[in-house]
Amino acid sequence: VNVFLHLRPAYHAHFGGEPMKLEDNGFKFDHVVIEVGGQITPKLSYRYLQRLNKVTPVFTKENMPSTIDYAYLKYAFNDQFSMTAGKQALSIGGFEYNKYPVDVYDYSGLTNFVTCYLTGLQAAIAPSQSQEFTFQILNNRLGTWEEAVGNLQQGVNLEAPTVPLYYSLGWNSNYFDNALQLRYGLNVTSPAKDKKLIMVSGGQKWESGPFSIYIDAFYQRSEVDFLGGIRSITTNPKNVVEYVDYFSLLGELNYRFQPKWNIFLKCFYNNYSTYQSTSYLDEGNCLTSWNYQAGIEYYPMEDDNLHVFLTSTYKDYRKSTV
């Protein structure tokens, strides 16, 4: 049995407006996470992870709160093939998405909207140490259909999907003695009956000595706003929104200039838009944002378990044309 505790308290100061003024500040806990895992037999393992500083209801679809990220059993038939059953992370390409949340100071906008942890099955095949392919079948939501897509306003004729599942393909690989790493994912689901959602995502990472850099890209097109990002910025956030596009591009550069010191720069771009007009929204851009982040980290111990950090994030939101 292995037990891990992830803690991140921080002092936050928020500035906003034109000219910028201090709006809020104070200490708070960003993360309090307990993780338990281990081997039952040489081939059968388990993992359980729960966030303790967040309270959510028990969602009806999975009979589980969203505070539980992982609760699964994994059986490794051999070094090349394994099966995982239970609550797990949806396979999405990129490196920000696959970090521990305690290590990400400010997520890109789209990642905040993705329902990451869902219940189902995964098969993983690793034909070599540098190549892994995954296939998942997971629930596509935690609770009711209305909680996932919003309320049906007048003129919107939608029905709940007959098979509310994600079908996911993942490809992870590395080259040049692990210097170049790739993570790609493709996800397809039906947010409503006879409606389609497609997500394509990928990340490229290069590590060489004290330098590392990665670039992630994420694109989703859906006939119903399943992420909820556009829905959340409309005049009535509970209404259904149709025919949406989401795009995100981010990059992060790290430089470990001393064994105990690291500096990083991060930039991400988000665009939310509708690709077809409806009675509720016109076609066009809904939100564009640029986010810039810089920080420094100090690691006082021999490993990276403990670090002290100072970060700053600037967010620029462009006006909607819809």
Side-chain angles (χ1 to χ4, degrees), residues 34-251:
I34 187 74
E35 180 179 2
V36 181
Q39 295 290 138
I40 301 172
T41 71
K43 292 188 175 182
L44 182 63
S45 61
Y46 66 94
R47 186 182 182 190
Y48 175 87
L49 186 148
Q50 183 169 6
R51 287 167 284 159
L52 303 182
N53 61 319
K54 182 179 178 182
V55 177
T56 66
V58 175
F59 289 96
T60 55
K61 179 68 177 177
E62 295 198 341
N63 194 32
M64 187 177 288
S66 65
T67 55
I68 298 175
D69 292 348
Y70 294 102
Y72 66 70
L73 292 170
K74 179 179 180 180
Y75 189 84
F77 294 87
N78 50 48
D79 292 339
Q80 288 76 42
F81 181 65
S82 66
M83 293 285 293
T84 301
K87 194 168 187 182
Q88 55 196 276
L90 177 66
S91 291
I92 292 181
F95 289 87
E96 182 195 61
Y97 176 82
N98 288 281
K99 283 186 176 182
Y100 270 112
V102 73
D103 293 326
V104 181
Y105 303 115
D106 198 0
Y107 276 99
S108 63
L110 295 184
T111 308
N112 286 328
F113 288 111
V114 175
T115 302
C116 302
Y117 306 102
L118 297 156
T119 300
L121 296 171
Q122 174 182 274
I125 301 172
S128 68
Q129 291 185 347
S130 64
Q131 302 287 327
E132 181 188 49
F133 300 92
T134 63
F135 175 69
Q136 285 179 310
I137 301 177
L138 306 177
N139 289 332
N140 68 8
R141 64 177 189 265
L142 295 173
T144 66
W145 180 61
E146 289 78 8
E147 289 172 334
V149 303
N151 300 325
L152 300 181
Q153 64 267 32
Q154 187 175 2
V156 176
N157 298 311
L158 295 174
E159 298 180 27
T162 306
V163 184
L165 297 173
Y166 267 118
Y167 302 95
S168 175
L169 291 173
W171 173 45
N172 307 315
S173 60
N174 63 81
Y175 307 90
F176 310 116
D177 197 26
N178 212 40
L180 176 63
Q181 302 169 39
L182 307 178
R183 300 188 69 95
Y184 296 130
L186 172 65
N187 300 274
V188 178
T189 190
S190 295
K193 189 175 181 179
D194 299 324
K195 301 294 184 179
K196 293 292 185 289
L197 178 154
I198 298 176
M199 286 194 296
V200 181
S201 53
Q204 299 74 219
K205 183 178 183 180
W206 178 265
E207 288 186 295
S208 178
F211 288 96
S212 71
I213 183 171
Y214 71 81
I215 298 174
D216 290 347
F218 176 101
Y219 174 73
Q220 183 190 104
R221 168 164 283 204
S222 179
E223 295 182 81
V224 179
D225 186 10
F226 212 45
L227 280 184
I230 295 176
R231 193 168 72 242
S232 69
I233 59 176
T234 60
T235 54
N236 191 340
K238 293 185 178 180
N239 281 353
V240 169
V241 174
E242 298 178 273
Y243 310 117
V244 299
D245 277 334
Y246 289 95
F247 177 72
S248 179
L249 183 68
L250 70 99

